[in-house]
Amino acid sequence: MGGCSSQSCHRCFFEYETERMIVVKSKVVGSVFRLIQFLILFYVIGYVCVVQKSYQETDSVISSVTTKVKGTGFTNTSDLGGRVWDVADYNIPPQGESSFFVLTNMIVTPNQTQSTCPELPNQSTICMSDSDCLEGSNDVRGNGIQTGLCMNYSETVKTCEVLSWCPLEIDINLPEHALLVAAEDFTVLIKNSVTYPKFNFHKRNILPDVNSSYLKQCEFNRKTDPDCPIFRLKDMVSEAEEDFQTMATRGGVLGIMIDWNCDLDWPEHYCGPKYSFRRLDNKIPENNVAPGYNFRFAKYYKTTDGRETRTLIKAYGIRFDVIVFGTAGKFNMVPTIVNVGAALTFLSLVNAVCSWFLLTCTKRRDYYSKHKFTYLDNTDDNAGEPLGETTYGTQ
């Protein structure tokens, strides 16, 4: 029957293992030893300290953003005639939450009133007689409530009559080119305030030495004026590698990225915003269902006889989303001690790895193993002989 007897178990319990130093003169083992040490030091110094800056305590940014768009444009259409557009017309809504919308194209349906008219023709609204129309029926994809009558939509097509805002909008006649061409020259002032509460650090993207006269004439340019917080719309779209007039026809969503990654071990003026721009909505040709960005709004009026009327506008344009992100770091003793301890732990493993390599992968592994492990007993007559450092060559 295998296993330890009570006497051998008692002896094993009172055994103690200690390290025995053996110096092996081997170019192969020595090279492996130094290579592993170098890789660990390179990882700790190059990646942990320089790249990750793990000696720092970090905090995430808290941000607030306000925007103000400026510019005027002119359109001349059959529905609206000649018209000048200012910020109150094309910036909808005037105050957004870290975003703003600029109208660039539209489908206008003027002079709508609450009345009855034939529904737009589709598979569910085309009829032959009144019996095909259900009074009071409300199709969520339709334009109103059916009256139960079948009316002439055209000389060849009949559809069910609906109670709605008439005449109904026909939204397939979108202009091929953006109506508000001048929108590419509009500008936006972005005011961004950030704070890192852990470090009691506060800053704005409008620098302390900037005055009102400078803001009236500056325009952001990555090379000549990178600190100006006023951006030309066309320049932002171009930096996102898009064509403004193409994007303005059906609309889209553009991201304004503001990066506030800061190393607070350096002076405050080194911490500043870095701007980048990219298109956020889908523009993949293979999946172009419902492209662009649009919504509807109406302007209401009262006629002289007190009747309510409205102009319905299906607005196409570019929505600009301001996205602020960042992390700040500052030297702290706690993460420094933790990472130094981790580095020392890694270095202490080098000996174990090299010992494994020595006893497993070298030709004289049996010879090294014989001299590395020695069993001493207090009853041994030679127990008093010193066992110090032993040097073995690679002979």
Side-chain angles (χ1 to χ4, degrees), residues 100-316:
F100 60 95
F101 174 82
V102 176
L103 184 149
T104 55
N105 207 0
M106 71 198 85
I107 297 174
V108 181
T109 308
N111 302 321
Q112 285 187 319
T113 59
Q114 288 277 326
S115 56
T116 58
C117 53
E119 176 63 283
L120 299 179
N122 59 54
Q123 187 174 1
S124 63
T125 61
I126 294 177
C127 60
M128 299 299 293
S129 64
D130 294 346
S131 60
D132 297 326
C133 303
L134 180 61
E135 183 178 1
S137 175
N138 180 18
D139 185 354
V140 294
R141 291 182 173 83
N143 291 285
I145 309 298
Q146 290 189 13
T147 63
L149 300 178
C150 184
M151 306 293 291
N152 289 324
Y153 178 82
S154 66
E155 294 181 356
T156 58
V157 177
K158 286 186 174 183
T159 60
C160 295
E161 184 184 63
V162 292
L163 175 63
S164 181
W165 286 95
C166 298
L168 300 178
E169 176 194 60
I170 302 176
D171 63 353
I172 60 175
N173 298 323
L174 178 68
E176 294 182 0
H177 303 286
L179 292 179
L180 203 57
V181 178
E184 64 182 17
D185 293 319
F186 296 168
T187 60
V188 57
L189 167 64
I190 299 177
K191 294 185 286 185
N192 179 211
S193 298
V194 298
T195 181
Y196 291 103
K198 186 181 291 186
F199 307 122
N200 195 28
F201 180 86
H202 309 273
K203 198 166 185 181
R204 302 173 68 202
N205 67 326
I206 302 178
L207 302 181
D209 57 345
V210 170
N211 53 42
S212 57
S213 60
Y214 168 77
L215 288 180
K216 290 179 180 179
Q217 61 183 5
C218 80
E219 188 174 289
F220 176 84
N221 184 288
R222 199 169 292 282
K223 294 181 179 179
T224 61
D225 205 349
D227 297 325
C228 180
I230 298 177
F231 302 83
R232 184 168 172 253
L233 301 191
K234 182 180 180 180
D235 292 341
M236 292 191 291
V237 174
S238 296
E239 284 212 22
E241 300 181 351
E242 297 287 340
D243 177 71
F244 186 90
Q245 294 301 330
T246 301
M247 190 174 180
T249 302
R250 288 192 171 273
V253 182
L254 190 84
I256 303 173
M257 316 295 183
I258 307 180
D259 180 1
W260 280 94
N261 281 316
C262 295
D263 186 349
L264 299 184
D265 290 330
W266 293 88
E268 180 181 333
H269 67 270
Y270 285 104
C271 178
K274 298 178 181 64
Y275 302 99
S276 61
F277 312 92
R278 66 179 59 181
R279 186 166 182 173
L280 301 180
D281 63 313
N282 179 37
K283 61 167 187 174
I284 302 174
E286 293 78 12
N287 184 17
N288 60 354
V289 178
Y293 181 78
N294 64 80
F295 60 91
R296 292 175 175 83
F297 69 96
K299 295 186 176 182
Y300 295 86
Y301 312 93
K302 287 281 188 179
T303 61
T304 54
D305 58 357
R307 191 178 185 185
E308 186 179 33
T309 183
R310 75 176 190 182
T311 296
L312 178 65
I313 298 176
K314 185 176 183 180
Y316 293 80

